[in-house]
Amino acid sequence: MLDLLFYILVALLSVAFMEIVAILAHKYIMHGPGWFLHKSHHTKHNDTLELNDIYFIFFSMPSVVCIVYGFIQSSYIILSVGIGILMYGMIYLIFHDIIVHNRFGLNIPIKINYIKKVKKSHMRHHKCKNKHGATNFGFITYR
C-alpha cells in the first residue's frame, strides 16, 4: 500500500514539476526561437488547428517514453513520472484549450473562482501579440 501511495506522490510531483517546465518552455522557447510556431496561438482565427499544436507532439514525447520504458522495465517510478506528465497534459488540454480558449467547439461555463483567475491571467498573456513583452506564462497557475 505504501508503494502505491509513493507512486501516486511521484505522479503528483511530476504534475507540479511540469508546470515549472511549461512556464520555462513557454517563456524561453515559445516566446523565443519557437515563436514561428507559437505566434499562431496569439493570432485570432477560426481554424480548428494551429501551428502551435505541433508543440503537443514534442511535449508529449517524454510522457510516452517514460510510460513505455516504465512498463517494459517494470520501473514504476519512471512509469509514475510518465503518468504525471500525461496528467499534466490532460489538465493543460482541459484548462487551456477547452476552458480558456473554447477550442473544439466546446464552450464550458466557468463557475469555479480558481479557473476564472487562471483564465483571466492567461487572457492577460494574450494581450501581447508579439514575441516580446508577454507576462503570465503559466498554464495551470495564475498571478
Side-chain angles (χ1 to χ4, degrees), residues 2 24 40 97 101 107 128:
L2 280 176
L24 295 174
S40 67
D97 286 345
H101 290 292
N107 191 358
C128 181

Side-chain angles (χ1 to χ4, degrees), residues 24-40:
L24 295 174
H26 189 190
K27 185 172 184 176
Y28 296 109
I29 296 172
M30 294 173 163
H31 280 262
W35 179 252
F36 72 101
L37 294 173
H38 188 59
K39 69 180 170 185
S40 67

